[in-house]
Amino acid sequence: MRYSAWQILKNGLTGQKGWKPVWRSPAPRPEYDVIIIGGGGHGLATAYYLAKNHGITNVAVLEKGYLGGGNVGRNTTIVRANYHIDGNTEFYSHALKLWEGMEQDFNYNAMMSQRGVINLAHSDGQMDFYARRGNAIRMQGDDAELLGREEVRAAYPYLDHDNARFPIYGGLLQRRGGTARHDAVAWGYARGADLRGVDLIQNCEVTGFQIDNGRVKGVETTRGTIRAGKIGMAVAGRSSQVGQMAGLRLPIESHVLQAFVTEGLKPILPGVVTFGMGHFYISQSDKGGLVFGGDLDFYNSYAARGNLPMLEHVCEAGMALMPMIGKARMLRSWGGIMDMSMDGSPIIDKTPVDGLFFNGGWCYGGFKATPASGWCFAHLIATGTPSPHATKLLMNRFETGHVLDEEGTGAQPNRH
Amino acid sequence: MRLTCPHCGERDAREFTYLGSAKLLDRPAGDTGAEAFHEYLHIRENPAGPNAELWQHVMGCSAWLHVVRDTRTHVVESVSLASGVAR
Ligand SMILES: Cc1cc2nc3c(=O)[nH]c(=O)nc-3n(C[C@H](O)[C@H](O)[C@H](O)COP(=O)(O)OP(=O)(O)OC[C@H]3O[C@@H](n4cnc5c(N)ncnc54)[C@H](O)[C@@H]3O)c2cc1C
Ligand SMILES: [Zn+2]
């Protein structure tokens, strides 16, 4: 069924009886042309673009849990294209353009809201850096505006502008950035892929690979052996473990990142605000909850929940930026396992195993990448060559020295 | 989470900073070649289970510690001085 205002009206008048399950739940077939491991945002988007852009529809997405139960359903939903290193800028620029047309493209309401993302500055040096970064973003063709003190004060009156330690000097605003409904992005791609014939197979964990003479032949799963000549991995925080089954040695550590949400409040934050000095960022969901987060817990973790010291730290930073937040009650906190790469940037590339392709290292920023990640990974799998939007996200860049280290912190994943 | 520093006893995790895998103790010799340094600097086992790692007791005695910790549960199996770890 195509979703439309007419369908909503019709079903509203007929007791909502016309809605159908959004995708099928097929049993795995013994063989496919392409298998995608991981039914998160990236895996589902990859399947969608394999079908839509390349006409490859004999595809299965294998997900060990349920679709969208990983990081795609745990993130703080921020979408932006404000990177400043070649290799990242063109990739995220492509992503933002896809976000802008995504809902019409897959006919699903992802609640994409271009409410703006502002990075606050607290010193002359930081203002200079943001001027430069804004120029890099504009050179790429995306938008960036350097705001002064008064403009930030007018848009965000509730911030502590005259904080003794970090007074707000201004900020770099990207108006086209914003937020989207994370689950709906996964569901939209899932539905779009399913409609084009892709099998979405849940509760199907990949437990091993069949590799013959350096060529991948299929996977072992909890639902039996499934063969395919081309296999793409998009398992986010589990990259190292799934990779190990195929003998891959990866420049990745898994870390936990937490997020928090308060009770619903009246509208107070028009856009997304990042307070880099305090390692804190915040936005307000459409339901009114303040959604915020900070840094990783700092040590390797596969526990999909965080520890309390980071909660305390994030709340302190929140109080420093926005003292009124102390009156709000926090409803929930949760964590997700991040695949932190050694330079803080992602990898979309072939692997030493023929037919096995790798998509990972998304760190804490992979939600915004979702459409472009799927687009470029599908291109790589279908054609064997990197997409023109992702020519530098290569696995061997660590060996050759062409790292994409936006933060300039070196091979120290917990610092990116 | 708490770590038992050999010098200071059982202390809150907030007193320590984390560097990363204990493999960083095994720095290749300067003339070993780029491949060995790539392996040393970038490649990680990243286990879901016991992980040998380096922590520093920055808000205590400043000692570098070799810690074996389960990355799924944060149960700490052992803590010893990094300087005493056999290489
Ligand atoms: C708290 C938090 C906040 C974040 N905030 C933002 C943000 O504001 N903006 C942003 O851009 N990014 C953000 N991120 C990062 C973003 O969520 C991730 O980078 C991105 O979702 C990762 O890609 P994915 O959606 O494909 O991952 P996932 O949804 O994790 O998908 C991977 C899937 O692989 C499956 N899998 C794993 N192993 C196997 C196996 N052996 N067999 C079969 N399936 C397997 C998993 O079950 C999972 O469903 C945040 C992350 C967290 C945790
Ligand atoms: Zn000590």
Side-chain angles (χ1 to χ4, degrees), chain A residues 66-381:
Chain A
Y66 59 93
L67 296 182
N71 290 333
V72 71
R74 292 165 184 265
N75 63 74
T76 43
T77 79
I78 298 165
V79 173
R80 57 186 167 89
N82 57 0
Y83 287 72
H84 72 283
I85 285 185
D86 281 356
N88 280 336
T89 49
E90 67 261 28
F91 175 77
Y92 288 103
S93 178
H94 182 54
L96 188 53
K97 289 182 197 112
L98 291 174
W99 278 106
E100 289 174 329
M102 169 198 287
E103 294 165 303
Q104 286 68 29
D105 186 48
F106 61 32
N107 178 231
Y108 201 84
N109 182 6
M111 296 167 71
M112 176 61 187
S113 163
Q114 293 180 295
R115 57 185 66 185
V117 174
I118 186 165
N119 309 128
L120 298 177
H122 312 274
S123 66
D124 290 330
Q126 226 185 342
M127 286 296 279
D128 288 348
F129 172 67
Y130 279 161
R132 172 179 175 273
R133 189 184 182 120
N135 287 340
I137 296 166
R138 278 197 294 270
M139 294 278 283
Q140 178 59 47
D142 294 315
D143 70 300
E145 272 168 65
L146 197 61
L147 302 189
R149 276 174 215 264
E150 292 316 314
E151 289 158 296
V152 178
R153 197 184 286 267
Y156 292 96
Y158 299 108
L159 306 184
D160 185 5
H161 294 267
D162 305 312
N163 184 294
R165 180 69 184 85
F166 294 118
I168 297 173
Y169 275 48
L172 186 64
L173 172 67
Q174 182 166 59
R175 290 187 196 274
R176 285 167 64 223
T179 59
R181 170 83 199 275
H182 49 7
D183 300 311
V185 174
W187 298 334
Y189 278 121
R191 172 172 170 273
D194 176 88
L195 284 174
R196 286 171 172 78
V198 171
D199 280 1
L200 307 175
I201 299 165
Q202 308 185 58
N203 298 312
C204 182
E205 178 171 356
V206 170
T207 53
F209 287 89
Q210 292 189 334
I211 296 170
D212 188 15
N213 265 327
R215 194 158 216 317
V216 78
K217 300 281 181 194
V219 288
E220 307 294 347
T221 79
T222 47
R223 299 180 68 175
T225 303
I226 309 176
R227 291 188 308 277
K230 289 181 176 182
I231 299 181
M233 279 175 59
V235 293
R238 294 279 166 182
S239 292
S240 296
Q241 296 188 303
V242 177
Q244 238 160 38
M245 298 175 198
L248 304 185
R249 306 200 28 81
L250 299 172
I252 288 176
E253 285 182 5
S254 295
H255 288 256
V256 70
L257 180 68
Q258 305 193 53
F260 313 90
V261 66
T262 69
E263 60 193 326
L265 305 170
K266 287 184 181 172
I268 42 171
L269 282 174
V272 180
V273 181
T274 78
F275 174 38
M277 285 295 121
H279 303 272
F280 177 83
Y281 65 97
I282 187 164
S283 67
Q284 189 167 20
S285 79
D286 291 333
K287 278 194 288 189
L290 299 177
V291 180
F292 55 93
D295 271 333
L296 303 169
D297 276 15
F298 275 122
Y299 38 85
N300 292 36
S301 176
Y302 281 94
R305 58 180 166 73
N307 276 346
L308 291 174
M310 190 46 69
L311 165 65
E312 182 182 37
H313 173 85
V314 167
C315 290
E316 279 170 4
M319 291 289 288
L321 176 70
M322 204 175 151
M324 68 172 324
I325 199 179
K327 295 245 158 87
R329 273 167 299 207
M330 213 171 81
L331 288 188
R332 287 182 293 127
S333 71
W334 63 93
I337 305 168
M338 314 279 71
D339 40 344
M340 298 299 300
S341 69
M342 284 289 164
D343 62 357
S345 294
I347 298 165
I348 302 178
D349 204 356
K350 295 181 194 178
T351 72
V353 181
D354 276 346
L356 180 63
F357 301 86
F358 182 82
N359 173 313
W362 292 100
C363 304
Y364 44 76
F367 178 66
K368 71 175 86 69
T370 305
S373 168
W375 179 288
C376 296
F377 200 35
H379 186 283
L380 177 68
I381 293 171

Side-chain angles (χ1 to χ4, degrees), chain B residues 5-9 11 16 57 60-63 65:
Chain B
C5 172
H7 293 141
C8 313
R11 311 294 303 175
F16 302 82
H57 196 187
C61 62
S62 293
L65 306 176

Side-chain angles (χ1 to χ4, degrees), chain B residues 11-87:
Chain B
R11 311 294 303 175
D12 189 289
R14 277 171 289 191
E15 292 187 6
F16 302 82
T17 56
Y18 179 73
L19 181 65
S21 168
K23 108 185 237 190
L24 290 168
L25 290 172
D26 294 320
R27 189 187 164 94
D31 56 359
T32 331
E35 205 175 308
F37 273 95
H38 164 60
E39 164 74 32
Y40 169 77
L41 201 57
H42 299 128
I43 302 300
R44 294 290 176 267
E45 292 302 325
N46 192 21
N51 190 32
E53 44 199 37
L54 294 175
W55 293 73
Q56 188 183 17
H57 196 187
V58 280
M59 290 199 220
C61 62
S62 293
W64 277 100
L65 306 176
H66 178 281
V67 175
V68 179
R69 182 183 57 95
D70 192 313
T71 55
R72 296 163 303 183
T73 57
H74 307 318
V75 169
V76 177
E77 290 175 16
S78 69
V79 183
S80 56
L81 293 178
S83 58
V85 173
R87 269 175 256 167

